[in-house]
Amino acid sequence: MSDIMRQIGFGDLMTRILGEYAKEGSIFGVRKLVCRTEEQARPIFREKIESPFGPAAGPNTQLAQNIVAAYVCGARFFELKTVQKMDGRELAACVPKPCIAAEDECYNCEWSTELTVEQAFEEYVKAWFACKVLARELGLGDPEGFVFNMSVGYDLEGIQTAKIDAYIEGMKNAEETPVFRECREWLLGNLGRFRKIDEGFVRSISPRISSSITESTLHGCPPDEIERIAAYLIKEKGLNTYVKCNPTLLGYDYARKRLDGAGFDYISFDEHHFREDLQWEDAVPMFRRLMALSAERGLEFGLKLTNTFPVDVRQKELPSEEMYMSGRSLYLLTIHLVRRIAEEFGGTLRISYSGGADFFNIRQLADAGIWPVTMATTLLKPGGYERLSRIAELFEDAGAPFAGIDTAKAAALDLAAGTDPRYQKPVKPLPRRKCGEPLPLIDCFQAPCRTSCPISQDIPGYLAALEAGRTEDALRIILERNALPFITGTICPHTCTDRCMRGHYEESVRIRAAKLRAAEGAYRQVLPSLAKRGNGNGRRAAVIGGGPAGLAAAAFLSREGVPVTVFEKREKPGGIVRFAIPSFRIGEEAIDRDIALCTAYGAEIVTGREIRSVEELKAEGFTDVIAAVGAWKEGRNPLKYGEALDALDFLQAAKAAPESLKPGKQVIVIGGGNTAMDTARAAKRISGVEKVSLVYRRTKRYMPADEEELQMALDDGVEFRELLSPVGVRDGELVCAVCALGEPDASGRRSPVETGEEIRLPADTVICAVGERVDTSLFRDAGCAFDERGRVIVDEDLMTTVPGLYAVGDCKAGPATVVKGIADAQKAAAAISGCSFEGCVRTNVQEDPAPYLGKKGALCADCGAEEGTRCLGCPTVCQVCTDVCPNRANAAVRVPGKRMAQIIHVDGMCNECGNCAVFCPYDGRPYRDKFTLFGSREDFEDSENDGFFQGAGTTWVRLGGAVREYNVFDPSCGLYEDLRRLIVTVLTDYPYLLY
């Protein structure tokens, strides 16, 4: 059953490690093995760690394979998953599943081990042996160069129970335990499988697995109970002890203010934990007493900062009422608590850090004396454990002993966090990164960026060409589907970046900039070589409107040999891009270059002629007419009284003759879309304007404008007046009704509700940027049918009810982006010329996955300075579900005849935490939807997953709910061939997955 983790015996564990390493050069999917040296070691607990970091108590330290995966990536300090008296199935039954959501800040339901205490002990002993052996066998470092740190909870009574006491004593000295003997005896019996492991080494492996412990208490634990537990662990157990503190120690007001100030105001919590948890005035004297007690016994004492932070479930993040927050939002609280503690104790109280630590802050933390550092959230994101290998690169210098915390550096880290964009939530909600398609059983690699692009641009194809220095190839790939690379390379809303998997690392690939780079770098070489490649299909087309959609249609049609003429009523083509979008956003040269590309195939552009009827074009011999008229008609005026300028009229004047505008000192723009942002930014640049305000009836979070457009307006100094609904203009003032946000609708957007209050804003000029419209008279005169919303009715090819008349771009359904206009142009051009754009995809050009596998976990410190594109090559190698699984329950296997590796889900390693479902680019759950390998008939029958179980001489397969027995080695057995080959590959080439 998927939510039951089945332990791997030590022999099977080592067989998996050795088998996979021999075949793939990896260990539990980790390819980037990290070697550490004696010089890099730092003393701790009279032991040493070759790296001052490792995984935190949580999903990444619950099983032996998790610890091994972290170790080979460079981790050397392991905070083992917390054990408590409630354990095993009793605890698992209390944990809602899925229990992890780490898309941005991370949430979890419960991170105590779901194994029994005895099983957890066995996992840690097996991991201890495995790491020792790998250190010697693979030369990864000194076998004595890492430390295991216990974590126990949650009250003294529980810690003193027989099973927890046996756990602690066993970790202090495991020599007489069955699992220790099992591991040692297996190694002694299999010395021939190793090159550098001999009997002397095996017998030298210390049974003293841990001499340190972290006390983890529940929220609301009284201070005297916390102190009693710590004193017991120090005095009675003789352990170096850390006390884990909760961020509630900061107080409700501070926590609320800091999170709100960083844009995390939607995170919901009340004051009760702050009232019930440890208070500052109780904590400080307690810590002083425990420091003294530890010093008397020659032990180390410190704090673990911090525990996860309890918050309310409000948006169905997890199937519980309360959840625990970690990640970058927790960093804001934890680093401030570090500062307060450091200053209170003059840097003498040691702090083991957790709470949003990652590649971007860990070196600064360590340099301030704040170490060891443990991490969870960052390891649950794409790249997974291999992120640790990148972090290890930050610590190539010699290690040094703890010499106190530098309070000035701690304070500087705290201050920097308040302004660092990494710890600020974007104004608008994160985009949905799912493609909207079900997760296939096999062949699940795809390019999420391409699926979110309206023109299905082959983004991985041209990024790969750019990466290889083939700029001309890159531009040719772009031009297959995109006739306007300069315009889209400059002002495209680039929704492709919304789904870019690189966005889970540091920031999405700068796809739009890469497109522009290709266009600028190869324009002069590619333009002269463009030529027709079709016979025209006997058609002759007219395009009404020389804006982006019309130009793109002309380019696609003429490329296919269709004679085409564009009729533009203005003196130049370019439409709204040329005449309304401000020049500080796009210059004339970019527009002119795109027009040259669009006419390179022979399209003719006639300017200064306004087409008033379709019939006049038909009379001139045009077989097909594409209407591509822009949304130039005045938008909807929301005012009940008074006057306001139309945004497009203002933008045209601001671009053509800004000196002619005299809007006064105070300008107000009504609206929240991209046009409103352009209008407000343009107004800021008009002489005499001192203040520009943007009025909208919702908050910034719910404005329709793109995040980038909104941020640029903020950067330009536009004032946002939120939750105001304009009523009218009178006596130099805009009267607005004050609104409040109501409950979220089905889409999550909160509707404004008027409160009955009014506010008056000084305004010399009011500009409306609401609901730009299209003049539909051309369609009405032609006899086209319209829907109930007044939009012209079109079929799937965008042809209206009048044969041969097509509607694209703005005139199809209202204002549209340039790239959506190009998408419409594709459809209409394909219908007229008979061409297909489906054969233009070149994502299969990259057959070798190695370069992309090498990028996994490779976080970039300065994306702007990175020479490459940082593209992860998703259609070549996705495997995100393998990255983010802490238990390594998803494995990539190479099936003969298949271009890319296939995913097999290993049932026994999975506890249905759900993390793979969070990051899978499909709308699916790999732990449920991928073909599953079962370790026993019992588990096979107790699951609904499609998958197989290998019995004695036969294979049982479930597919679509039906179970059948197959001889999978017989090609004619009747099983779907791709699945048959997948099963045979696992059985023959990956036998180490069977346990």
Side-chain angles (χ1 to χ4, degrees):
M1 184 173 169
S2 296
D3 67 340
I4 300 176
M5 297 180 293
R6 301 298 187 187
Q7 291 180 276
I8 305 175
F10 184 71
D12 288 332
L13 180 77
M14 293 307 301
T15 296
R16 162 73 188 263
I17 291 169
L18 296 174
E20 182 184 338
Y21 183 71
K23 179 175 176 57
E24 305 287 342
S26 61
I27 295 174
F28 290 112
V30 171
R31 300 164 188 85
K32 299 177 179 178
L33 309 189
V34 173
C35 300
R36 308 299 293 171
T37 66
E38 174 68 25
E39 292 73 25
Q40 294 164 335
R42 304 173 182 224
I44 187 170
F45 309 142
R46 298 181 183 173
E47 302 173 70
K48 62 182 178 183
I49 50 175
E50 296 167 330
S51 300
F53 62 83
N60 299 102
T61 55
Q62 66 187 346
L63 295 172
Q65 64 260 31
N66 307 24
I67 296 169
V68 169
Y71 175 79
V72 299
C73 274
R76 295 296 184 266
F77 186 85
F78 299 87
E79 186 184 45
L80 304 176
K81 197 167 186 182
T82 306
V83 298
Q84 56 162 314
K85 66 179 181 180
M86 180 188 287
D87 62 357
R89 297 306 295 165
E90 181 186 8
L91 175 62
C94 300
V95 180
K97 300 294 180 68
C99 58
I100 297 176
E103 185 174 16
D104 188 7
E105 69 270 12
C106 181
Y107 300 108
N108 76 86
C109 293
E110 172 61 65
W111 277 4
S112 289
T113 182
E114 295 171 41
L115 300 173
T116 65
V117 172
E118 294 81 2
Q119 289 173 327
F121 173 74
E122 291 168 356
E123 291 301 300
Y124 303 152
V125 174
K126 288 184 290 186
W128 176 258
F129 268 95
C131 292
K132 297 279 187 183
V133 168
L134 291 173
R136 172 65 63 87
E137 179 72 5
L138 301 182
L140 301 181
D142 186 341
E144 304 299 322
F146 64 92
V147 163
F148 280 10
N149 173 244
M150 291 181 274
S151 177
V152 297
Y154 285 104
D155 57 19
L156 184 57
E157 179 186 2
I159 291 170
Q160 290 178 328
T161 58
K163 64 181 176 183
I164 301 295
D165 187 68
Y167 167 81
I168 292 173
E169 291 300 320
M171 293 292 284
K172 287 166 62 178
N173 188 340
E175 189 164 20
E176 299 304 319
T177 62
V179 66
F180 189 88
R181 292 196 295 268
E182 173 199 343
C183 296
R184 183 171 57 193
E185 293 307 313
W186 187 92
L187 289 170
L188 291 173
N190 288 271
L191 293 175
R193 302 178 69 174
F194 301 93
R195 295 177 298 109
K196 299 180 181 180
I197 305 299
D198 56 23
E199 180 180 351
F201 174 77
V202 174
R203 295 195 181 280
S204 73
I205 293 176
S206 172
R208 302 185 185 281
I209 294 169
S210 181
S211 65
S212 64
I213 198 162
T214 296
E215 173 194 344
S216 182
T217 55
L218 289 170
H219 289 279
C221 186
D224 57 346
E225 175 77 351
I226 296 173
E227 187 166 7
R228 279 196 299 270
I229 295 171
Y232 169 78
L233 296 172
I234 294 166
K235 293 191 298 184
E236 302 299 324
K237 294 301 175 182
L239 293 167
N240 300 287
T241 300
Y242 288 152
V243 171
K244 185 178 287 187
C245 296
N246 296 322
T248 49
L249 197 57
L250 292 169
Y252 174 83
D253 290 339
Y254 178 84
R256 186 73 274 172
K257 180 179 179 181
R258 184 147 214 196
L259 290 177
D260 288 355
F264 295 98
D265 52 333
Y266 59 89
I267 295 176
S268 175
F269 54 90
D270 60 26
E271 299 186 43
H272 81 277
H273 281 306
F274 294 87
R275 293 192 303 266
E276 297 165 2
D277 279 3
L278 181 65
Q279 303 296 304
W280 181 263
E281 59 270 20
D282 296 320
V284 170
M286 178 206 304
F287 298 154
R288 294 193 190 281
R289 291 191 294 270
L290 292 172
M291 287 176 71
L293 180 63
S294 295
E296 289 174 7
R297 285 160 172 75
L299 297 170
E300 289 189 28
F301 174 78
L303 302 182
K304 180 71 179 185
L305 300 182
T306 63
N307 206 341
T308 49
F309 181 55
V311 299
D312 300 329
V313 174
R314 295 294 298 273
Q315 299 295 325
K316 299 182 180 179
E317 298 91 342
L318 290 171
S320 57
E321 294 182 358
E322 188 174 68
M323 57 189 179
Y324 300 94
M325 180 191 80
S326 60
R328 62 176 180 153
S329 50
L330 184 57
Y331 180 82
L332 291 164
L333 303 180
T334 304
I335 195 61
H336 184 68
L337 186 54
V338 166
R339 175 185 180 177
R340 285 194 65 185
I341 293 288
E343 290 175 346
E344 177 69 33
F345 288 85
T348 60
L349 177 53
R350 186 158 199 172
I351 293 173
S352 173
Y353 188 90
S354 194
D358 61 15
F359 168 77
F360 300 102
N361 54 37
I362 191 171
R363 182 69 210 214
Q364 290 80 5
L365 288 166
D367 286 348
I370 307 163
W371 62 274
V373 180
T374 61
M375 294 160 282
T377 298
T378 189
L379 303 184
L380 293 169
K381 295 179 182 292
Y385 290 102
E386 290 192 320
R387 289 176 173 234
L388 291 170
S389 63
R390 184 74 172 96
I391 291 170
E393 294 175 12
L394 303 175
F395 294 94
E396 295 293 344
D397 52 333
F402 175 72
I405 295 174
D406 186 320
T407 56
K409 288 182 177 179
L413 284 171
D414 179 38
L415 290 172
T419 56
D420 190 331
R422 296 193 187 281
Y423 310 112
Q424 312 297 306
K425 191 76 170 183
V427 174
K428 295 175 70 66
L430 289 177
R432 189 175 187 271
R433 287 190 167 102
K434 300 290 188 178
C435 71
E437 301 173 9
L439 176 61
L441 199 60
I442 58 172
D443 291 343
C444 60
F445 38 84
Q446 65 143 288
C449 55
R450 184 173 181 264
T451 63
S452 63
C453 175
I455 57 176
S456 298
Q457 184 87 72
D458 184 13
I459 295 165
Y462 75 73
L463 290 179
L466 276 176
E467 193 99 51
R470 297 183 286 108
T471 309
E472 285 187 44
D473 283 349
L475 181 54
R476 292 184 191 280
I477 293 170
I478 292 166
L479 290 173
E480 289 287 351
R481 285 178 168 269
N482 185 350
L484 306 169
F486 284 94
I487 293 174
T488 55
T490 306
I491 62 169
C492 183
H494 55 125
T495 54
C496 50
T497 60
D498 290 350
R499 290 188 191 157
C500 176
M501 295 305 294
R502 190 79 202 198
H504 291 299
Y505 278 68
E506 61 288 294
E507 65 173 67
S508 296
V509 171
R510 298 177 181 182
I511 298 171
R512 184 177 64 190
K515 182 190 289 102
L516 185 61
R517 192 162 75 246
E520 291 176 338
Y523 170 75
R524 296 187 186 281
Q525 293 76 29
V526 170
L527 179 63
S529 69
L530 298 178
K532 297 177 183 178
R533 61 191 189 195
N535 59 17
N537 201 26
R539 317 297 291 181
R540 183 175 176 230
V543 177
I544 305 173
L551 290 168
F556 295 141
L557 285 168
S558 58
R559 186 173 67 187
E560 297 304 318
V562 176
V564 59
T565 302
V566 178
F567 295 94
E568 169 55 53
K569 70 178 181 179
R570 294 176 182 260
E571 67 277 11
K572 284 185 176 182
I576 284 175
V577 177
R578 185 186 295 278
F579 295 104
I581 293 181
S583 56
F584 56 78
R585 289 195 59 205
I586 186 167
E588 292 284 313
E589 184 181 15
I591 301 168
D592 290 339
R593 285 185 166 189
D594 272 347
I595 293 171
L597 289 169
C598 287
T599 56
Y601 306 102
E604 180 186 2
I605 298 179
V606 176
T607 58
R609 179 180 172 184
E610 183 176 4
I611 302 299
R612 298 186 179 277
S613 78
V614 174
E615 288 305 315
E616 68 179 280
L617 295 175
K618 292 291 183 75
E620 294 178 25
F622 291 104
T623 59
D624 299 273
V625 177
I626 296 178
V629 181
W632 289 103
K633 196 172 181 181
E634 184 175 306
R636 178 177 58 84
N637 187 345
L639 301 178
K640 295 179 180 178
Y641 54 84
E643 295 184 355
L645 292 178
D646 177 69
L648 286 180
D649 291 340
F650 174 82
L651 285 170
Q652 291 179 82
K655 190 165 187 177
E659 69 283 353
S660 68
L661 293 171
K662 307 294 180 185
K665 295 182 179 180
Q666 300 197 71
V667 175
I668 292 179
V669 177
I670 299 171
N674 288 342
T675 300
M677 303 303 148
D678 278 347
T679 303
R681 295 180 69 205
K684 284 286 292 184
R685 290 164 167 79
I686 301 297
S687 177
V689 174
E690 295 179 358
K691 181 180 179 181
V692 176
S693 302
L694 194 147
V695 167
Y696 191 64
R697 61 197 186 118
R698 292 182 172 90
T699 62
K700 290 191 288 289
R701 184 174 181 83
Y702 298 100
M703 287 182 178
D706 299 329
E707 171 83 25
E708 180 182 46
E709 303 290 330
L710 195 153
Q711 190 58 54
M712 287 191 294
L714 288 169
D715 292 343
D716 278 356
V718 174
E719 178 187 54
F720 281 68
R721 300 301 300 264
E722 303 169 288
L723 296 172
L724 296 179
S725 180
V727 176
V729 176
R730 181 179 293 150
D731 300 329
E733 292 180 326
L734 175 66
V735 180
C736 298
V738 177
C739 298
L741 290 180
E743 291 301 312
D745 58 21
S747 68
R749 199 170 188 228
R750 299 175 66 186
S751 298
V753 178
E754 293 189 8
T755 64
E757 300 178 52
E758 279 192 349
I759 188 172
R760 298 173 182 271
L761 305 176
D764 296 312
T765 298
V766 175
I767 306 172
C768 284
V770 181
E772 299 86 357
R773 297 177 294 165
V774 176
D775 185 348
T776 60
S777 59
L778 184 81
F779 297 108
R780 294 191 183 278
D781 292 345
C784 295
F786 290 79
D787 65 18
E788 66 280 358
R789 296 178 62 184
R791 299 175 303 187
V792 64
I793 294 174
V794 296
D795 63 16
E796 61 182 12
D797 294 325
L798 306 188
M799 188 167 69
T800 68
T801 53
V802 174
L805 176 60
Y806 298 80
V808 302
D810 291 353
C811 67
K812 181 187 72 175
T817 61
V818 169
V819 71
K820 287 184 178 179
I822 298 172
D824 287 351
Q826 282 185 7
K827 288 184 179 181
I832 293 169
S833 69
C835 74
S836 172
F837 291 88
E838 295 309 310
C840 301
V841 181
R842 303 185 183 183
T843 50
N844 61 354
V845 295
Q846 295 297 305
E847 296 288 349
D848 181 11
Y852 294 121
L853 289 172
K855 291 184 178 183
K856 283 190 173 292
L859 292 147
C860 180
D862 183 356
C863 297
E866 180 73 19
E867 292 184 3
T869 65
R870 297 182 298 114
C871 175
L872 295 170
C874 297
T876 298
V877 52
C878 178
Q879 300 179 22
V880 171
C881 61
T882 70
D883 296 352
V884 303
C885 177
N887 293 357
R888 322 315 284 157
N890 300 312
V893 300
R894 291 176 293 157
V895 179
K898 282 292 183 181
R899 186 169 63 89
M900 300 305 169
Q902 300 294 317
I903 301 300
I904 192 81
H905 178 64
V906 184
D907 174 76
M909 291 184 176
C910 180
N911 68 332
E912 294 192 349
C913 73
N915 199 46
C916 59
V918 171
F919 293 101
C920 177
Y922 290 90
D923 278 13
R925 303 167 296 173
Y927 68 93
R928 288 282 181 89
D929 300 333
K930 295 307 293 183
F931 203 59
T932 300
L933 166 61
F934 292 92
S936 71
R937 184 65 184 268
E938 176 191 359
D939 286 346
F940 177 75
E941 293 177 347
D942 200 26
S943 173
E944 296 179 354
N945 285 19
D946 286 341
F948 75 99
F949 162 66
Q950 182 62 27
T954 190
T955 306
W956 293 91
V957 177
R958 181 186 298 106
L959 192 59
V963 176
R964 287 187 60 188
E965 186 178 358
Y966 294 93
N967 175 9
V968 294
F969 292 96
D970 178 2
S972 63
C973 67
L975 182 61
Y976 175 47
E977 180 60 14
D978 280 347
L979 287 182
R980 189 192 70 80
R981 282 191 289 156
L982 174 58
I983 295 171
V984 170
T985 299
V986 172
L987 296 178
T988 57
D989 296 346
Y990 298 84
Y992 50 78
L993 293 176
L994 306 169
Y995 71 94

